[in-house]
């Protein structure tokens, strides 16, 4: 972000904020200040939390190499010469973790050459900053280089809110949203409700920022933050470093929150200075009142937030969440009993630290402090230990400061600065495919089949320092805070609480390794897509709506329970095809649990009755010219921002998805791709749908904002049941539906 842009934004804030205070008749929270300051046209918009659709101008767009391919393919369809807002591409998701950083990087460069060439050439051509493979994970690189207090950005990745650690409203969205913002359109989002989290006390001892968010995951659940911004404030916030704040905001994605953010404070200024942005720190200090909530809000939060949660950091115990869902939380002291009761394997097979969530200097220092205690006492690690640094800058800094050396001494393997094991790009050979086994990590996600692609792996998430201690205990029954493990002399060994400074005393090692600026004259750059590529495919527009109601659609799949985007469009090996819609559609619903049979990934073909994968059934229906429908459960589409989870169904003939409730990003992705997202007015209507039914949707010509839609379930015996379904489309979104997609509506 250029300093001038930040300055211009800050200088424009007082007048805009005054206007908003006058119009709303009250003081403002920080989230509101940022939204108002970025309004496309404040005066002409409706502002109503939970109801209005806001049109905003973002300061920045960030893309990663997996979702970014589709985002760029869509941007290219808009026919622009240059991006309209500062944007960057980060090559992080496609690097497989197998044998350590150097070999893994080389393999990734060879395997993904075509995709990297495409991302590189589009970046060069359209004015986008390009961060090469190995430079780091998108959110860490954004925090180190681009995030700033009071800014607004979007990113084609659900953990974009990481930048909330520097007081930025950073929101994860689908690639189409990014493509449009880059093409110069205003970006739209539902005016979010606000949760205020008041932090009192002080983080001490074993408790860390990760525990704030894992505790909140347990309290608010994976849908508790949907269409809400979580704003943290209070005296406790000052006891948390900027990167620690980033951890909390990052993992707020696991609550389904639109974003999370902290008020500007001195810890943020210190981080900005340490990462070579003293000029921005100074500006933020000068404009501090605009970068925090108004004083009345902090004094009496219940009047201004829709919900307020109190967390006393001094009483917060270290937490651990899992398996299979980030909201399955408990204090570490309660884990052993639960492990016994549930019969989970207590032995830990792998311990992993790092990722975009937890790879700050402070995290690494504290983890190394635990490792050093064990080294000194001669205690050996019982579990293989893997480290994923978040960026080259972190890697070089911790290498210089001897932290890497400590990790290597305990037998740790350092992986590339990339997503690797976090996104299912982890090739393990220590367990059989179906073997139930336990791993612990400091990552943010733990859906089934996530890390190593196996649903039999039980993944638990906790702070890096607890993960490190658990690597020495080797079992989930060890509570590092209160318990002991046998020392080499047979005497019990007890860890003392981790310590570690938040910023390197000698400063960070230089910051822009792996960055390449765009070409001065983009016109001359050719975008590289090989004809016949199996990795990249130019997009064909989806067909327009034919103006008729949907009659008697078969149910391709009725999902039961958790249906995350990992269930709808798995990652891991499938990442290979993220730029090729036809190829990636072979993974559609592979993880989804069939409500009629309990099987994952397959079901009866609604016409022939043959049991096959959902993709094969969908391809068969498509060949017959038959469209279909999906029925789903709660929080449908939770997790990733990947729009493939909407594009594949659309491509293979899905017209409507009816569920009990949606996760925000996925609901928007469905709208963008021209699928009608409906929710049951009465959630128990979910139970009415049976395999042989045919489903009609009526009144589509009269589709209007807020107007329910009638759905008729046609039973095989000729009986019909009519139910009401709700939809949340604005006039503009109805336009997308009619045009066949948002992109069609644009061009
Ligand atoms: C994730 O953590 O699930 C991912 C992988 O980063 C995704 C993006 C993707 O699927 O490429 C996300 O969070 O949006
Ligand atoms: Fe990468 Fe994992 Fe972070 Fe997603 S959550 S950006 S996969 S490190």
């Amino acid at each position: 972000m250029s300093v001038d842009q930040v300055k211009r934004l800050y200088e424009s804030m007082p007048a805009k904020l005054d206007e908003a205070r006058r119009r709303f008749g009250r003081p403002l929270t920080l989230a509101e200040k940022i939204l108002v300051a970025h309004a496309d046209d404040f005066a002409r918009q409706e502002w109503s939390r939970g109801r209005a659709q806001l049109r905003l101008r973002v300061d920045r767009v960030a893309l990663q190499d997996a979702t970014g391919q589709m985002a760029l393919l869509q941007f290219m369809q808009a026919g622009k010469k240059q991006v309209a807002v500062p944007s960057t591409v980060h090559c992080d998701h496609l690097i497989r973790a197998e044998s350590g950083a150097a070999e893994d990087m080389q393999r990734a460069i060879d395997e993904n050459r075509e995709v990297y060439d495409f991302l590189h050439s589009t970046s060069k051509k359209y004015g986008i900053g390009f961060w090469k493979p190995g430079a780091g994970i998108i959110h860490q690189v954004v925090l180190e280089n681009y995030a700033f207090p009071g800014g607004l950005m979007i990113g084609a990745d659900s953990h974009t809110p990481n930048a909330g650690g520097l007081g930025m409203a950073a929101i994860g969205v689908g690639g189409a949203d990014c493509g449009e913002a880059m093409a110069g359109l205003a970006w739209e989002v539902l005016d979010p409700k606000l949760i205020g989290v008041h932090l009192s006390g002080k983080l001490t001892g074993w408790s860390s920022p990760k525990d704030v968010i894992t505790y909140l995951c347990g309290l608010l659940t994976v849908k508790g933050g949907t269409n809400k911004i979580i704003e943290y404030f209070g005296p406790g916030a000052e006891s948390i470093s900027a990167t620690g704040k980033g951890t909390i905001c990052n993992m707020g994605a696991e609550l389904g929150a639109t974003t999370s953010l902290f008020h500007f404070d001195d810890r943020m200024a210190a981080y900005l200075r340490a990462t070579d942005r003293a000029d921005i720190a100074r500006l933020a200090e000068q404009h501090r009142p605009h970068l925090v909530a108004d004083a009345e809000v902090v004094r009496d939060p219940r009047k201004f937030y829709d919900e307020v949660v109190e967390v006393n950091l001094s009483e917060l115990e270290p937490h651990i969440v899992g398996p299979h869902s980030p909201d399955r939380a408990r204090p570490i002291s309660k884990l052993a009993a639960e492990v016994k009761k549930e019969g989970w394997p207590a032995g830990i097979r792998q311990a992993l630290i790092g990722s975009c969530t937890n790879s700050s200097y402070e995290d690494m220092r504290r983890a190394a402090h635990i490792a050093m205690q064990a080294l000194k006492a001669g205690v050996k690690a019982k579990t293989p230990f893997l480290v994923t640094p978040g960026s080259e800058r972190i890697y070089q800094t911790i290498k210089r400061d001897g932290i890497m050396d400590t990790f290597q001494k305990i037998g740790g393997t350092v992986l590339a600065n990339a997503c690797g094991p976090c996104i299912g790009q982890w090739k393990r050979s220590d367990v059989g495919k179906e073997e139930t086994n336990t791993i612990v990590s400091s990552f943010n996600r733990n859906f089934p089949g996530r890390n190593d692609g196996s649903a039999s792996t039980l993944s638990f998430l906790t702070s890096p320092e607890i993960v490190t201690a658990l690597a020495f205990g080797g079992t989930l029954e060890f509570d590092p805070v209160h318990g002991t493990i046998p020392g080499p002399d047979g005497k019990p060994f007890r860890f003392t609480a981790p310590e570690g400074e938040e910023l390197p005393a000698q400063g960070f090692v230089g910051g822009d390794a792996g960055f390449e600026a765009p070409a001065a004259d983009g016109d001359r750059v050719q975008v590289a897509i090989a004809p016949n590529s199996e990795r990249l495919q130019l997009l064909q527009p989806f067909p327009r709506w034919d103006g008729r109601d949907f009659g008697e659609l078969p149910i391709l799949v009725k999902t039961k329970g958790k249906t995350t985007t990992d269930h709808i469009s798995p990652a891991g090996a499938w990442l290979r095809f993220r730029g090729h819609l036809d190829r990636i559609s072979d993974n559609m619903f592979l993880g989804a649990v069939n409500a009629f049979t309990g099987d994952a990934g397959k079901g009866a073909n609604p016409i022939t009755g043959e049991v096959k994968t959902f993709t094969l059934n969908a391809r068969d229906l498509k060949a017959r010219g038959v469209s279909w429908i999906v029925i789903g459960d709660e929080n449908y589409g939770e997790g990733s921002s990947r729009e493939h989870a909407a594009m594949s169904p659309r491509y293979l003939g899905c017209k409507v998805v009816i569920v009990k409730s949606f996760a925000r990003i996925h609901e928007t992705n469905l709208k963008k791709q021209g699928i009608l997202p409906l929710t049951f007015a009465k959630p128990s209507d979910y139970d009415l749908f049976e395999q042989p039914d045919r489903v009609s949707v009526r009144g589509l010509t009269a589709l209007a904002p807020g107007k329910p839609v009638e759905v008729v379930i046609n039973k095989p015996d000729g009986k019909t049941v009519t139910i009401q379904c709700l939809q949340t489309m604005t006039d503009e979104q109805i336009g997308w539906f009619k045009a066949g997609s948002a992109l069609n509506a644009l061009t």
Side-chain angles (χ1 to χ4, degrees), residues 102 133 153 194 266 303 332 413 458 471 514 585 594 609-610 625 632 642 650 659 665 722 736:
M153 70 175 281
L194 303 179
D266 294 347
K303 258 171 81 183
I332 185 93
T413 305
L458 308 184
S585 298
N594 184 337
E610 250 183 292
R642 61 190 78 139
R650 174 71 169 109
V659 299
I665 304 178
T722 303
W736 303 345

Side-chain angles (χ1 to χ4, degrees), residues 219-241:
L219 190 76
L220 299 173
T221 80
V222 288
K223 48 182 284 205
T226 309
N227 292 321
K228 295 174 187 162
I229 291 186
I230 307 184
E231 187 168 319
Y232 293 85
F233 61 97
E238 275 148 44
S239 73
I240 305 175
S241 62

Side-chain angles (χ1 to χ4, degrees), residues 422-639:
C422 179
I423 198 199
Q425 289 274 66
W426 179 26
K427 205 160 160 209
R428 276 173 88 179
S429 48
D430 62 318
V431 291
K433 187 111 192 60
E434 305 286 320
E435 193 182 333
T436 306
N437 74 101
T438 295
I439 62 170
V440 289
S441 80
S442 71
F443 304 167
N444 46 27
R445 291 224 199 278
N446 59 357
F447 303 141
R450 171 89 185 175
N451 305 103
D452 52 6
S454 163
S456 308
T457 293
L458 308 184
S459 159
F460 292 82
L461 311 174
T462 184
S463 66
E465 40 273 48
I466 295 277
V467 171
T468 310
L470 287 176
F472 290 95
T475 164
L476 291 181
E477 281 162 350
F478 171 49
D479 166 2
V481 183
H482 307 97
T484 59
I485 47 177
D489 49 5
K491 285 207 209 101
F493 167 77
R494 183 189 291 278
F495 285 106
T496 61
E499 285 165 24
E501 59 278 21
E502 81 187 75
L503 295 168
Q506 293 179 56
F508 282 107
V509 173
D512 57 0
F515 176 74
E516 201 176 304
D521 178 8
D523 276 354
R524 299 231 292 270
V525 180
Q526 287 285 325
V527 169
I529 299 189
N532 305 327
S533 165
E534 61 150 26
R535 306 274 316 252
L536 293 157
Q537 180 189 42
L538 286 171
L539 293 169
Q540 297 301 325
F542 291 130
R544 303 180 75 83
W545 178 53
D546 64 7
R548 294 204 309 254
D549 282 351
F550 298 139
E552 311 229 342
L553 303 178
I555 302 171
L556 180 83
V557 47
K558 174 174 173 177
T559 72
K560 188 172 81 184
K562 229 183 202 340
T563 315
T564 69
T565 43
D566 279 19
H567 293 84
I568 306 171
S569 177
W574 292 98
L575 280 170
R576 200 173 156 66
F577 302 120
R578 281 288 184 86
H580 197 297
L581 184 54
D582 188 59
R583 294 297 297 261
I584 198 158
S585 298
D586 283 335
N587 77 354
M588 190 182 69
F589 292 117
L590 269 188
V593 177
N594 184 337
F596 303 124
T597 62
D599 288 339
K602 57 179 190 230
N605 180 315
I607 292 183
T608 65
E610 250 183 292
V611 176
K612 289 205 172 143
T613 63
F614 292 121
T615 306
L616 287 174
N617 290 342
R619 287 195 187 274
D620 177 66
L621 295 180
K622 185 175 170 169
R624 295 169 194 267
V626 177
S627 303
W628 43 270
I629 187 168
V630 175
I631 306 294
D633 213 320
E634 294 281 6
N635 209 23
Y636 182 90
E638 166 188 348

Side-chain angles (χ1 to χ4, degrees), residues 265-279:
D265 66 8
D266 294 347
R267 307 290 284 261
M268 294 185 195
Y271 183 75
L272 285 168
R273 292 199 163 90
T275 47
D276 310 322
R277 289 171 291 170
D279 40 8

